[in-house]
Amino acid sequence: MRQESFDFLQKYLNNPSPTGFEKEGQQIWLEYLKPYIDTHFVDTYGTVVGVINPEAEYKVVIEAHADEISYFVNFITESGFLYLRKNGGSDPLVAPSKRVNIHTKKGIVKAVFGWPAIHVRKPDQDKAPTIETVFLDCGAASKEEVEEMGIHVGSVVTFEDEFMVLNDKFYVGRALDNRIGGFMIAEVARRLQEEDKKLPFGLYIVNAVQEEIGLRGAEMIAHRIKPDVAIITDVTHDTQSPMYEKKTSGDLFCGKGPVITYGPAVQNNLRDLIIETAQSAEIPFQRAAATRATGTDTDAFAYSNAGVAAALISLPLKYMHTTVETVHKDDVQHVIDLIYETVLRIEDKQDFRYFS
């Protein structure tokens, strides 16, 4: 990876971008993207769209989502402890002893998820942490002291863990789900511009907000763009670590390539074009099956407007919704390559219908 791309990746991943509060991360992403697009727009809730060939009638979307799971302060005790609500699929099981940032108008306030020591816990207390039992300690001795720090009900809480490289093979950090996707689609746009590729259609590079609470950003922007085609990238589970049941979760590996999904929301002809592209370009890939929904922004685009030809290219990831989400460097490059090569194979006004 070139150094400028790597520097952007680190900066973008380390910046907090909690669901509903993605503004700063979106600004970082847009500044990186601007040299590679013709124009851009931002919607009411913060989804950012970079556009190449904005005057073209036929519209192709490549999309990722920008938000990360987090917490809200929900209750402040008289003695200064904070209880929380989830913002997205946050996992209280990984919270105890973690350090966090509480976002206030006065700036970041540091805090920790406290937990009783093993010496003093009673057997009936040795249960998995839940949202009702985890709490934050910000060093305050009273509710008034907490409020003087700028903390209030509704303040957003994110983990402070940052990006690292593991064994020179893996990228590790919080919120790779799915800002790594935003990085990958931005790299596609960069390659198109730097390699002077001329597209016969409009390409919309979409970094959507609020995926973690129900695909909401994609839902809104799909109705605004009204695309003809949408290629979504998100993460999926590597199932090789302990405790995964492959009979239900599939047999997927970090390091063996992008995952192409089969399912009702995935348009078969578009999916087949992606598979043919991978085979022709000698890009390794894996296959996965979805049930009623993919659980990604693919669903929001597929079922928008009069129906959009949509497909999903996933990045295998270990330890989803933890602070050590892990992806293989090769897979990141192969997802970029696959989206790039597929975009070049789409024809102007291509009809993806099964028959007419």
Side-chain angles (χ1 to χ4, degrees):
M1 184 183 296
R2 66 176 197 144
Q3 189 61 47
E4 296 90 340
S5 298
F6 185 72
D7 292 344
F8 164 62
L9 176 62
Q10 289 189 85
K11 181 179 180 180
Y12 185 48
L13 289 175
N14 286 340
N15 180 81
S17 189
T19 301
F21 301 84
E22 301 93 344
K23 175 184 174 182
E24 187 176 334
Q26 293 289 69
Q27 290 174 319
I28 292 171
W29 185 80
L30 179 58
E31 284 307 306
Y32 182 77
L33 186 70
K34 275 182 177 178
Y36 314 123
I37 57 177
D38 296 324
T39 187
H40 76 276
F41 61 89
V42 182
D43 81 357
T44 305
Y45 278 84
T47 290
V48 179
V49 182
V51 190
I52 298 170
N53 299 339
E55 302 303 320
E57 180 181 347
Y58 195 74
K59 300 176 183 179
V60 175
V61 160
I62 56 175
E63 191 261 13
H65 74 83
D67 57 318
E68 67 178 286
I69 57 174
S70 57
Y71 292 94
F72 288 116
V73 174
N74 189 50
F75 175 64
I76 306 170
T77 72
E78 292 302 321
S79 52
F81 294 105
L82 313 176
Y83 285 86
L84 308 173
R85 300 193 81 166
K86 298 179 183 180
N87 185 16
S90 303
D91 185 359
L93 191 64
V94 304
S97 82
K98 298 297 293 183
R99 304 178 188 193
V100 302
N101 293 322
I102 305 175
H103 300 263
T104 79
K105 289 191 174 180
K106 294 183 177 181
I108 296 294
V109 176
K110 297 292 183 179
V112 298
F113 274 105
W115 198 247
I118 190 171
H119 316 72
V120 301
R121 294 199 305 270
K122 298 175 182 178
D124 65 344
Q125 293 177 311
D126 273 338
K127 298 176 181 177
T130 67
I131 195 65
E132 290 81 15
T133 59
V134 294
F135 61 90
L136 288 181
D137 183 342
C138 62
S142 67
K143 182 177 182 180
E144 290 72 25
E145 189 176 355
V146 170
E147 291 173 341
E148 286 171 5
M149 292 177 169
I151 301 168
H152 53 75
V153 170
S155 292
V156 178
V157 179
T158 58
F159 292 111
E160 71 170 20
D161 299 66
E162 293 193 339
F163 175 87
M164 73 174 187
V165 179
L166 184 67
N167 194 25
D168 200 34
K169 296 179 182 178
F170 294 94
Y171 299 135
V172 179
R174 39 161 265 285
L176 273 70
D177 176 11
N178 180 38
R179 286 209 292 287
I180 192 74
F183 168 77
M184 293 188 296
I185 60 173
E187 287 295 277
V188 171
R190 178 183 66 81
R191 284 186 60 185
L192 289 168
Q193 196 273 340
E194 291 185 350
E195 296 176 22
D196 198 28
K197 300 296 184 182
K198 305 301 182 185
L199 301 176
F201 48 76
L203 183 66
Y204 291 70
I205 303 98
V206 178
N207 209 11
V209 299
Q210 299 195 28
E211 187 271 352
E212 296 289 355
I213 49 89
L215 322 181
R216 298 308 188 189
E219 196 174 80
M220 290 183 277
I221 205 66
H223 288 291
R224 178 166 176 174
I225 297 172
K226 295 180 172 60
D228 299 282
V229 179
I231 298 172
I232 312 308
T233 187
D234 205 330
V235 295
T236 192
H237 302 282
D238 168 283
T239 61
Q240 305 311 306
S241 304
M243 300 174 68
Y244 281 91
E245 176 53 70
K246 294 179 182 178
K247 291 179 182 177
T248 55
S249 298
D251 192 16
L252 301 174
F253 296 75
C254 280
K256 289 195 174 183
V259 177
I260 299 173
T261 297
Y262 289 71
V266 175
Q267 212 278 342
N268 296 335
N269 290 335
L270 178 58
R271 183 206 59 234
D272 288 347
L273 174 64
I274 293 169
I275 290 173
E276 291 161 8
T277 299
Q279 291 169 335
S280 176
E282 298 184 345
I283 299 169
F285 70 94
Q286 306 172 75
R287 303 177 201 251
T291 54
R292 296 183 61 181
T294 68
T296 72
D297 284 342
T298 311
D299 306 324
F301 275 93
Y303 301 128
S304 67
N305 303 294
V308 174
L312 174 61
I313 301 174
S314 297
L315 177 71
L317 174 142
K318 299 180 182 181
Y319 321 127
M320 194 180 296
H321 286 201
T322 72
T323 61
V324 291
E325 295 182 331
T326 301
V327 299
H328 199 289
K329 293 164 67 172
D330 291 348
D331 291 336
V332 173
Q333 187 58 55
H334 285 138
V335 170
I336 295 168
D337 293 343
L338 184 53
I339 297 174
Y340 174 81
E341 295 292 345
T342 301
V343 165
L344 292 179
R345 286 170 176 260
I346 296 174
E347 299 174 359
D348 188 26
K349 295 183 173 59
Q350 187 163 346
D351 186 352
F352 284 95
R353 290 179 297 172
Y354 299 137
F355 61 91
S356 59

